Amino acid sequence: MNVIKYCCAVVLALVVLYACKKDDDDGGAAVVPPRDRGEQQITDDAALQDYLRTHFYTLEDVFVNNDATAEYQATKFDTIAGANSGEQSILDSPLLTTKKITRSDVEYTLYVLNLNKGEGEHNPTFADSTLVTYKGELLYKPKSSDKVFDSAINPVWFDLGSPAGGAIEGFRESLVDFEGALNFVQNSDGSVTYTGYGNLVVFMPSGLAYFNEPRSGIPTYSPLIFNIQLYKVNQTDHDRDGLPSYLEDIDGDRIVLDSDDDTDGDNTPNYIDNDDDRDGTLTKDEITVNDSNNDGFITPDEITYYDDDGDGIKNHLDADDRDLKNE
């Protein structure tokens, strides 16, 4: 019995010594701090402008169902060289616009190619849900992978306001300036063909994409290109409290999930908190909402706010005011 105990002790000691030796050899995992965002933006913007200056685009029909009807048009990029030397660069295209976004005291530039603004009635906000097809690609092809890192040839819903929705900031901030489709036709095979849909290409710096966080097929600090077709927009009220989520952006930074949008400090941002001031009265009972035109899109003028104690703070954000307004 003592021999067994002794053997076990020896084995345990050897395991511990090996583990310590391995840690000593490895020196621990090296922690690499992220690059300075301002400096990286300068690098990314130079790379984006070089790409825009040296490339042109063409539009190609996309056939999803192997029939004679194209579901939409997508972009294809090529280098201005050789037989293509006479092509107009993307940078010189009259359809190219820029949009400035400031985050953490760094001003970023999005380059947006407006292929079709869209003919629907509504633009999505930064917190809405959108039905899209898209293709995401890198500026230049890595040695071991393809330029295209993600795509959806059939329409998918993107929740622009939720981190689970998967929409990075450059994607979201470009899409909000476009509209959905004017009309659609239900085909006999179950597919849908949209007309008058929004169609754009956004060229974004890594600071409005994944920055220092690698993703499958996307190296760190990668500027990205997304060609997006926008078909439908659903206004989103994530917590169903009567307030569209975009109106729960208290600090006005166009991001609804940060701590500055958490009125009661319960670590639940207002857009997913149905009692924003934690006073025991639900937010939906402290405001009155009237969708007067029944279009499913609530505008600020269709909401009545109250301030019972006259302190300048709306009831649904003021724990001192808790009277029910919709009895």
Side-chain angles (χ1 to χ4, degrees):
M1 190 72 171
N2 290 333
V3 172
I4 294 176
K5 289 182 178 179
Y6 175 77
C7 291
C8 290
V10 170
V11 171
L12 179 61
L14 289 174
V15 169
V16 171
L17 286 172
Y18 175 78
C20 293
K21 182 65 168 61
K22 189 175 188 300
D23 287 344
D24 291 342
D25 290 344
D26 291 346
V31 178
V32 179
R35 297 175 186 173
D36 180 87
R37 283 186 169 269
E39 293 177 0
Q40 186 61 39
Q41 165 57 12
I42 294 173
T43 299
D44 287 352
D45 192 62
L48 287 167
Q49 290 200 38
D50 179 71
Y51 184 92
L52 296 170
R53 187 181 300 109
T54 57
H55 287 73
F56 71 99
Y57 74 92
T58 54
L59 290 172
E60 294 186 335
D61 289 337
V62 176
F63 298 89
V64 176
N65 299 311
N66 297 317
D67 56 18
T69 302
E71 272 64 36
Y72 55 91
Q73 286 191 313
T75 51
K76 180 180 179 181
F77 303 106
D78 204 348
T79 307
I80 300 175
N84 300 324
S85 296
E87 297 289 345
Q88 182 185 58
S89 73
I90 302 170
L91 192 63
D92 292 330
S93 171
L95 302 181
L96 187 71
T97 61
T98 59
K99 183 175 184 178
K100 305 291 186 180
I101 306 292
T102 299
R103 288 285 177 257
S104 303
D105 298 322
V106 176
E107 184 179 73
Y108 294 100
T109 301
L110 291 175
Y111 297 90
V112 182
L113 194 61
N114 177 4
L115 302 173
N116 190 350
K117 203 70 173 178
E119 301 173 38
E121 296 182 3
H122 300 284
N123 295 72
T125 72
F126 52 87
D128 286 336
S129 187
T130 55
L131 185 68
V132 299
T133 47
Y134 67 90
K135 178 177 65 176
E137 59 185 285
L138 306 172
L139 295 188
Y140 300 102
K141 181 177 180 179
K143 292 181 180 179
S144 59
S145 62
D146 192 72
K147 283 180 60 177
V148 176
F149 57 81
D150 191 15
S151 65
I153 62 171
N154 289 302
V156 294
W157 285 99
F158 260 96
D159 183 348
L160 302 182
S162 168
I168 52 180
E169 191 157 11
F171 190 104
R172 178 173 70 244
E173 284 294 343
S174 60
L175 203 56
V176 298
D177 297 318
F178 288 77
E179 297 177 0
L182 174 65
N183 207 346
F184 68 92
V185 175
Q186 187 82 37
N187 302 316
S188 58
D189 62 0
S191 65
V192 177
T193 301
Y194 294 90
T195 56
Y197 54 86
N199 195 358
L200 66 141
V201 183
V202 56
F203 305 84
M204 69 182 72
S206 66
L208 296 179
Y210 298 108
F211 199 54
N212 64 322
E213 299 178 7
R215 291 291 191 274
S216 178
I218 307 176
T220 56
Y221 307 109
S222 293
L224 304 179
I225 306 170
F226 276 95
N227 180 198
I228 311 167
Q229 295 76 38
L230 173 60
Y231 305 115
K232 288 185 179 180
V233 179
N234 278 349
Q235 187 178 79
T236 304
D237 177 4
H238 288 85
D239 54 8
R240 299 184 180 182
D241 65 357
L243 283 174
S245 293
Y246 81 97
L247 292 179
E248 304 213 59
D249 173 30
I250 306 302
D251 60 359
D253 64 356
R254 300 171 64 81
I255 300 174
V256 293
L257 50 81
D258 54 13
S259 59
D260 292 331
D261 299 322
D262 179 13
T263 298
D264 55 16
D266 64 352
N267 296 318
T268 304
N270 289 7
Y271 86 108
I272 52 174
D273 188 345
N274 61 14
D275 182 3
D276 293 332
D277 54 5
R278 197 162 42 172
D279 63 357
T281 303
L282 297 179
T283 296
K284 67 180 181 180
D285 294 322
E286 295 186 284
I287 62 174
T288 301
V289 180
N290 177 27
D291 184 8
S292 56
N293 57 2
N294 294 312
D295 66 349
F297 284 76
I298 304 301
T299 54
D301 61 299
E302 295 177 318
I303 302 173
T304 301
Y305 297 100
Y306 304 91
D307 179 15
D308 290 343
D309 61 7
D311 63 356
I313 303 175
K314 300 170 183 175
N315 283 15
H316 74 287
L317 301 176
D318 189 348
D320 295 332
D321 294 326
R322 54 178 63 91
D323 289 346
L324 297 173
K325 298 301 181 183
N326 303 308
E327 292 182 294

